[in-house]
Amino acid sequence: MITVVSDTHSRSGHELAGRTEEAVEEADVVVHAGDFLNGAALDAFEAVSDRLYGVYGNNATPDVRDRLPPERTFEVEGVRFVLTHGDDRGATGLSLLGRQQAADVVVFGHSHRHAVSEGEDVLLLNPGSHARPRGGVPTHAELRPTDGDAETDARLSGEIRHRDGSVVESFEIE
C-alpha cells in the first residue's frame, strides 16, 4: 500500500491519529506533499515510515529545506509520480509539470483540502491535510495495486479516507 499525506504543520511530531496513523504504519511507501514545518516533524515521519518520499512546503524551516527537495519524481508499482507542495501552481501548472516529467500522477498539497481530478494526461491528487484541514475533514489517500482484472486498465485503486477510516472518495490510476 502507498499512503499519501500532506500539510502536517507540526513543530514536534507527526500528528498522526486514527486510520491515518494505521495507514502510515502499514504502508510500503509513504508520500508526503510537504509542510512538515521543522526537522522534528520530519524525524517523526521517518521513524514510522520504512520508505518515505517527501518534499518541503512553503512553511518549512531551513533544516527541512536542507533535507528535502521542492519536488521529486519517483516510480512505485509501475506508476510514475511527481511530488510537489504545489503552492505556486494551479491545475494547469500541475498538469504541465506532470507532462514534463512524463508522470501518471501529480501529488500536491498546500490547500489542506482533498481533491482528485483529471488534468491533461495526468491525475492530480491532493490528499488534504491529515492534521490541519482548515474547515474541512482530516484526510489522507491510500493507493493499492489492482488485482489485474481484465475489465479495467487501472494499475492502482485509490481512496481518500477520513481519519476515522471512512471512505470519502474512490478513484483509479490507469
Side-chain angles (χ1 to χ4, degrees):
M1 176 174 62
I2 303 164
T3 300
V4 186
V5 294
S6 188
D7 294 286
T8 300
H9 287 271
S10 173
R11 299 200 182 281
S12 59
H14 54 55
E15 301 290 326
L16 295 168
R19 176 61 197 158
T20 309
E21 184 171 22
E22 293 169 5
V24 167
E25 291 172 352
E26 294 170 9
D28 299 304
V29 175
V30 175
V31 177
H32 195 297
D35 271 355
F36 293 95
L37 283 196
N38 65 23
L42 177 54
D43 291 343
F45 263 91
E46 289 175 336
V48 296
S49 308
D50 292 332
R51 189 168 159 202
L52 175 68
Y53 291 105
V55 294
Y56 68 74
N58 60 303
N59 289 302
T61 57
D63 58 331
V64 172
R65 289 175 185 261
D66 288 345
R67 293 168 57 187
L68 295 175
E71 62 187 46
R72 68 186 334 156
T73 303
F74 59 94
E75 192 169 309
V76 180
E77 296 289 340
V79 175
R80 188 168 170 89
F81 293 84
V82 63
L83 175 62
T84 183
H85 188 57
D87 52 300
D88 59 349
R89 292 187 172 100
T92 301
L94 292 167
S95 293
L96 181 58
L97 174 65
R99 288 179 31 219
Q100 287 172 336
Q101 300 298 324
D104 301 299
V105 181
V106 174
V107 176
F108 65 102
H110 186 62
S111 72
H112 294 232
R113 295 193 177 251
H114 68 275
V116 180
S117 63
E118 290 289 334
E120 287 188 41
D121 302 321
V122 66
L123 183 84
L124 304 178
L125 171 60
N126 184 333
S129 175
H130 67 95
R132 305 283 184 270
R134 290 190 183 158
V137 296
T139 55
H140 68 278
E142 296 179 19
L143 310 175
R144 290 179 177 80
T146 58
D147 59 8
D149 185 351
E151 293 181 23
T152 178
D153 291 332
R155 289 180 275 168
L156 294 173
S157 62
E159 296 174 332
I160 301 291
R161 287 188 170 245
H162 187 279
R163 183 187 298 150
D164 69 10
S166 61
V167 175
V168 177
E169 184 175 352
S170 297
F171 58 95
E172 293 184 340
I173 299 170
E174 299 177 1

